[in-house]
Amino acid sequence: MAGVDFARKFSYATRTMRPSGVGELLKNSNVPGVTSLAAGAPDPDLFPVKEFKKYTNKAFKDFGPGILQYGPPEGFEPLRQALPEFLVKDICEPITKPENIIITAGSQEGLLILAQVFLSRGCKVAVDKPTYIGAKEAFDMFSPEYIEIESDEHGADPKSLRKAFKDHPDIRFYYALPNFQNPTGKTMPLDRRIEMAQIAGEYGQLIVEDDPYGRLRLEGNHIRPIQSFASENTIGLFTFSKMLAPGIRVGGMTLPNQMEPNAKKRIMNKAAEIKGRGTLTTAPFNQAVITEFIENNVFKNHIPRIIEENRLRRNAMAEIIEEFFPKVLQFTSPNGGMFLWGELKDEYKHLAPKLNMHNIMDELVEQHKVDFTDGRFFYAYPKKTKPSMRLNFARWPVKKMEPAMKIIGEVLTQKLS
Ligand SMILES: Cc1ncc(COP(=O)(O)O)c(C=O)c1O
């Protein structure tokens, strides 16, 4: 009997797929005994379990057993109705309408749906340098060419975006992360968002604006999204993963009111088709519970609780870096989100061979049960990047994170000696 020759059966996408970096990131995050500062996971001890119990019951009372039935691919209608206001509360006027929202299983599914709508083999997509690894992996399924956008301390640089659009008019979209960017934690100021919107308008380009962390602002005021300025040509992505719980798997995509009606209708139809063909619908039960959370103002108390704790954790992490980490590394100091990003300062680039972050990461897990992320994961083209690392400050209480951070600092220092 002949065995199956799988090499001849795999699709182009799976044949060319490299091992998942996200898988690598998550590998140690649930291993008992490992203090992982690697994955983008929030702290389960801050999940509002009591509220989940209460509003699960209320959801059955209010919406009936139908929340356990299949639902429409676009999402649970009461949640779609509540979202336009909720998404921009205290920031600006609603940018979208219920009929222009598709609820997805987290924003990761939104990214894959948008990739399916817009990308095909060999096309171009503009991404930050570095960018969110999960977006890159969703886009990778369609083998695009990446045009990388440079950044400074305020996030992606408009000059670099302009150049990208000018040199590559065939870019399908620019994937933007203006709030507490993953991985760097940088935030784009208001004037830069306006400029990005203007540039996209000038070149007739599409922006996909992903905002999982915006509500986790530790200080300062919220800043209006790019979508509120480039509302003809920006698609938004949102998620409840970081402000509530990732296991609930509810996020979505929004099309702005001002988008040209025909374009809006076509994008909505295509995205809803893909959503339906993939998973039929996002779990209506989970969407119903979130609707209760919104309608009963649960976020009003819950988000400040996370913020207060995360502020302590970010401050503690920054202090340990200051005291225990080698000074050759430069770290960002984000006003929110979940991550600190460190990279080798340019003047020390001769030390790069001593800081093989991937090996250091493996050694830390094996010998000390501590984990961080090698920054190279986050680059479209990682070969020529300087040593860098991402640390999640939000995952563990200070008492648990402190010793892990000190070990990382000590090992890095040893490597340089
Ligand atoms: C920038 C960004 N986008 C999207 C996601 C996906 O999150 P989820 O699918 O849980 O909404 C993440 C998760 O870490 C992220 O950091």
Side-chain angles (χ1 to χ4, degrees), residues 23 45-46 84 87 90 117 133 138 144 157 173 206 235 344 358 373 376 403 407 411:
D45 286 340
L46 297 176
L87 289 174
D90 305 324
V117 172
I133 181 177
D157 180 355
F173 60 77
L206 177 64
I235 297 176
L344 188 64
H358 206 97
T373 310
R376 283 170 54 128
I407 289 169
V411 170

Coordinates of all heavy atoms in Angstrom, one line a residue, residues 23 45-46 84 87 90 117 133 138 144 157 173 206 235 344 358 373 376 403 407 411:
G23 N 3.2 31.0 18.2 CA 3.3 29.8 18.9 C 4.5 29.8 19.8 O 4.5 29.4 21.0
D45 N -5.7 37.0 37.0 CA -6.2 37.4 38.3 C -7.0 38.8 38.2 O -7.6 39.2 39.2 CB -5.1 37.5 39.3 CG -4.7 36.1 39.7 OD1 -5.5 35.2 39.5 OD2 -3.6 35.9 40.2
L46 N -6.8 39.5 37.1 CA -7.5 40.7 36.9 C -8.8 40.6 36.1 O -9.5 41.5 35.8 CB -6.6 41.8 36.3 CG -5.4 42.2 37.1 CD1 -4.5 43.2 36.4 CD2 -5.8 42.8 38.5
P84 N -20.9 51.4 18.3 CA -20.4 52.7 17.8 C -20.1 53.8 18.9 O -19.0 54.4 18.8 CB -21.5 53.2 16.9 CG -22.1 51.9 16.4 CD -22.1 51.0 17.6
L87 N -17.1 52.4 21.4 CA -15.7 52.3 20.9 C -15.0 53.6 21.0 O -13.7 53.7 21.1 CB -15.7 51.8 19.5 CG -16.0 50.3 19.3 CD1 -16.1 50.0 17.8 CD2 -15.0 49.4 20.0
D90 N -15.8 59.1 25.2 CA -14.8 60.1 25.8 C -13.7 60.5 24.8 O -12.7 61.1 25.2 CB -14.2 59.6 27.1 CG -15.3 59.3 28.1 OD1 -16.3 60.0 28.1 OD2 -15.1 58.3 28.9
V117 N -9.5 39.5 2.1 CA -10.2 40.5 1.3 C -9.2 41.2 0.3 O -9.5 41.4 -0.8 CB -11.0 41.5 2.1 CG1 -11.6 42.6 1.2 CG2 -12.2 40.8 2.9
I133 N 3.4 40.8 15.4 CA 3.8 39.5 14.8 C 2.5 38.8 14.2 O 2.6 38.1 13.2 CB 4.6 38.6 15.8 CG1 5.0 37.3 15.1 CG2 3.8 38.4 17.0 CD1 5.8 36.4 16.0
A138 N -0.8 36.6 9.8 CA -2.0 36.5 9.0 C -1.7 37.0 7.5 O -2.2 36.3 6.6 CB -3.1 37.5 9.6
P144 N 2.7 38.3 0.8 CA 2.9 39.6 0.2 C 4.4 40.0 0.3 O 5.1 39.4 1.0 CB 2.0 40.5 1.1 CG 2.1 39.8 2.4 CD 2.2 38.3 2.2
D157 N 6.8 57.0 11.2 CA 7.2 58.3 10.7 C 6.4 58.6 9.4 O 6.5 57.9 8.4 CB 8.7 58.2 10.4 CG 9.3 59.5 9.9 OD1 8.5 60.4 9.7 OD2 10.5 59.5 9.7
F173 N -2.6 48.1 1.6 CA -3.0 49.0 2.7 C -1.8 49.1 3.6 O -0.8 48.4 3.5 CB -4.2 48.4 3.5 CG -4.0 47.0 4.1 CD1 -3.3 46.8 5.2 CD2 -4.6 45.9 3.5 CE1 -3.2 45.5 5.8 CE2 -4.5 44.6 4.0 CZ -3.8 44.5 5.2
L206 N -5.4 53.0 1.5 CA -6.2 52.5 2.6 C -5.3 52.2 3.9 O -4.2 51.8 3.7 CB -6.8 51.1 2.1 CG -7.6 50.3 3.1 CD1 -8.9 51.0 3.5 CD2 -7.9 48.9 2.5
I235 N -10.0 51.4 7.8 CA -10.8 50.3 8.5 C -10.2 50.2 9.9 O -9.0 50.1 10.1 CB -10.6 49.0 7.7 CG1 -11.2 49.2 6.2 CG2 -11.3 47.9 8.4 CD1 -11.0 48.0 5.3
L344 N 19.4 47.5 21.4 CA 20.8 47.9 21.6 C 21.0 49.3 21.0 O 20.6 49.6 19.9 CB 21.7 46.9 20.9 CG 23.2 47.1 21.1 CD1 23.6 46.8 22.5 CD2 24.0 46.1 20.2
H358 N 17.7 35.4 21.1 CA 17.0 34.1 21.0 C 17.7 33.0 21.9 O 17.0 32.4 22.7 CB 17.0 33.6 19.5 CG 15.8 32.7 19.3 ND1 14.7 33.1 18.7 CD2 15.6 31.4 19.6 CE1 13.8 32.1 18.7 NE2 14.4 31.1 19.2
T373 N 10.5 38.1 25.1 CA 10.5 37.9 23.7 C 11.6 38.5 22.9 O 11.9 39.7 23.1 CB 9.2 38.4 23.1 OG1 8.1 38.0 23.8 CG2 9.0 38.0 21.6
R376 N 13.3 40.2 17.4 CA 13.4 39.9 15.9 C 12.1 39.3 15.4 O 11.8 39.4 14.2 CB 14.5 38.9 15.7 CG 15.9 39.5 15.7 CD 16.9 38.5 15.7 NE 16.8 37.6 14.6 CZ 17.7 37.3 13.7 NH1 18.9 37.8 13.8 NH2 17.4 36.5 12.7
P403 N 11.6 39.4 40.7 CA 12.8 38.5 40.6 C 13.1 38.0 39.2 O 14.2 37.9 38.8 CB 12.4 37.3 41.5 CG 10.9 37.5 41.8 CD 10.6 38.9 41.6
I407 N 16.7 38.6 37.2 CA 17.5 37.6 36.5 C 17.8 37.9 35.1 O 18.9 37.8 34.6 CB 16.7 36.2 36.6 CG1 16.7 35.7 38.0 CG2 17.4 35.2 35.7 CD1 15.8 34.5 38.3
V411 N 21.5 38.2 33.6 CA 22.0 37.4 32.5 C 22.5 38.2 31.3 O 23.5 38.0 30.7 CB 20.9 36.3 32.0 CG1 21.3 35.7 30.7 CG2 20.7 35.3 33.1

